[in-house]
Amino acid sequence: MEKEELYQLSFQLILYSGNARSFAMEAMQEAKKRNFESARSKIAESESELLQAHKYQTQLIHAEAGGDHFELPILLVHAQDHLMTAMTLKDLAIEMIDIREEFIHAAAMKEGTAE
């Protein structure tokens, strides 16, 4: 695999990972405002972006497994960092949304206003 192709794959990883991270952050903000449906929608968008990022990552893995040898540019390392951060943040966002929903439900139960 040529260096230029590695750079292009790296940029795609950064793009989709950054989008995924942004959607995860937006999901947490929506949950903070008690807009849980919107928060879940943002998580779905984050997951969609991560799926796109994984497609590019899979290209790299398949190329290497197929015998391609290439020098590892720091940009690719940076892109992988973005991907892993976005994945972790998305998982954390899901947990935080769940906790907020549980907290609100528990408070409503305590006040006797739960459905």
Side-chain angles (χ1 to χ4, degrees):
M1 184 175 291
E2 296 294 322
K3 193 176 204 177
E4 182 63 32
E5 189 175 359
L6 281 174
Y7 283 161
Q8 290 303 318
L9 288 171
S10 297
F11 287 130
Q12 293 301 316
L13 276 171
I14 291 168
L15 170 72
Y16 288 111
S17 298
N19 289 345
R21 182 187 176 285
S22 293
F23 283 128
M25 291 298 295
E26 289 173 16
M28 288 188 287
Q29 292 302 314
E30 288 299 310
K32 192 174 187 178
K33 295 185 280 188
R34 298 183 179 194
N35 296 331
F36 295 110
E37 187 175 321
S38 178
R40 297 279 181 217
S41 176
K42 295 291 184 182
I43 290 295
E45 290 179 273
S46 178
E47 289 172 340
S48 178
E49 293 295 303
L50 285 171
L51 182 62
Q52 292 301 314
H54 277 290
K55 288 179 183 179
Y56 288 99
Q57 183 183 47
T58 301
Q59 285 182 24
L60 291 166
I61 293 168
H62 283 278
E64 187 174 54
D68 277 4
H69 298 284
F70 40 84
E71 190 175 314
L72 189 64
I74 193 68
L75 184 62
L76 181 55
V77 174
H78 181 66
Q80 286 295 124
D81 285 345
H82 273 272
L83 178 58
M84 297 310 298
T85 300
M87 291 170 62
T88 302
L89 186 62
K90 190 261 311 175
D91 291 342
L92 180 62
I94 290 170
E95 291 300 317
M96 292 187 74
I97 292 165
D98 289 345
I99 290 169
R100 282 187 178 275
E101 282 183 310
E102 289 171 13
F103 179 78
I104 288 169
H105 180 72
M109 293 291 286
K110 185 177 179 181
E111 295 172 4
T113 59
E115 297 175 5

